[in-house]
Amino acid sequence: IGYAETGSALVSRADKVIFVGSVGVGRKVMETASRTLTPVILELGGKDPFIVCDDTKPKELAQLVVRGAYQNMGQNCAGPERFIVYDKVYDSFCEEIASLVKSMRQGPPLSSDFVDCGACVHPPSLENYQRLVDDAVAKGARVLAGGSRNNALPSGQFFEPTVLADVREDMLIAQEETFGPILSIFRVKGDSDAEAVRLANSCCFALSSCAHSGDQERAARICS
């Protein structure tokens, strides 16, 4: 039985459906459930913002950023994808993150001595990652690390941990869920809290959010 047939059978016979996945499949789940008036809860994508204020220390934040972006190779529902960084610390943030990501070791965890990151689950996803990276670069983004399939590991679904800087709202990667190992960095011009919040809200997808500042009350205010 294929994925579609299995899903349809489950939805049409369940008392309640909770689905986590893409918008396209979510529509099909809702359509099928509507025939039997089955209650449905849908969680259809995340593109979580991670705001880095001008009073943070990028070197101290780098490990948290990298873990958030590349845990499970970015294949997390509630995981940061958009790093919204204030002008004052933008260059140092980019430098710290790129240096750390370039040092990461990638490979199959069961047959390697030690790795920091592994492969991606869904084969077609690698083509989508490349599409998003290529579009961003064509529109002016800079690749600070990675940027393509890992050619040193041709037998698996390995996409390099990737860092993109100078990402803008008009790029596909700013609007589409990545669900993969790509860390996108946006610049907050003028170090404005209002501009950071505007950028965080400039996408139709969101699931969680966070802000980092030397002032806890400021961070809480931005997140609220």
Side-chain angles (χ1 to χ4, degrees):
I1 299 177
Y3 292 135
E5 292 85 352
T6 302
S8 179
L10 286 171
V11 173
S12 61
R13 290 169 174 77
D15 295 323
K16 184 174 184 178
V17 177
I18 301 174
F19 173 77
V20 179
S22 70
V23 173
V25 177
R27 287 195 182 100
K28 293 183 183 297
V29 169
M30 180 169 279
E31 179 184 351
T32 301
S34 69
R35 297 170 190 153
T36 53
L37 299 180
T38 301
V40 177
I41 296 175
L42 302 176
E43 189 270 276
L44 304 180
K47 197 149 190 71
D48 303 359
F50 185 119
I51 295 174
V52 180
C53 295
D54 53 349
D55 57 356
T56 58
K57 297 178 180 178
K59 189 175 184 65
E60 296 179 1
L61 195 58
Q63 289 284 350
L64 178 65
V65 167
V66 169
R67 178 179 178 181
Y70 301 113
Q71 183 172 278
N72 295 333
M73 286 305 284
Q75 298 163 118
N76 297 301
C77 296
E81 291 193 6
R82 295 179 293 144
F83 290 82
I84 298 168
V85 183
Y86 286 50
D87 241 335
K88 183 178 178 180
V89 294
Y90 187 87
D91 291 339
S92 58
F93 180 88
C94 289
E95 183 179 344
E96 291 290 343
I97 299 305
S99 175
L100 187 55
V101 172
K102 287 177 180 178
S103 72
M104 291 170 65
R105 292 158 290 189
Q106 186 173 32
L110 297 181
S111 59
S112 303
D113 292 334
F114 187 88
V115 296
D116 298 297
C117 54
C120 299
V121 174
H122 192 220
S125 293
L126 273 69
E127 295 179 6
N128 186 52
Y129 301 154
Q130 195 65 62
R131 177 182 68 91
L132 295 174
V133 170
D134 291 347
D135 173 80
V137 171
K139 293 175 180 174
R142 292 180 291 133
V143 177
L144 303 185
S148 63
R149 186 170 191 145
N150 192 331
N151 292 324
L153 298 163
S155 61
Q157 295 155 201
F158 295 92
F159 197 90
E160 297 173 312
T162 296
V163 179
L164 293 177
D166 303 342
V167 178
R168 299 192 316 270
E169 298 164 73
D170 63 321
M171 299 174 182
L172 295 178
I173 201 164
Q175 302 299 328
E176 297 183 15
E177 183 180 30
T178 307
F179 205 71
I182 304 174
L183 189 161
S184 299
I185 307 174
F186 300 70
R187 185 189 294 269
V188 180
K189 296 180 180 179
D191 293 331
S192 162
D193 289 355
E195 174 63 8
V197 171
R198 189 195 67 78
L199 284 170
N201 291 330
S202 66
C203 174
C204 64
F205 288 113
L207 195 57
S208 69
S209 64
C210 63
H212 290 264
S213 167
D215 181 337
Q216 187 173 352
E217 291 185 2
R218 180 189 184 191
R221 186 170 61 251
I222 289 171
C223 286
S224 65

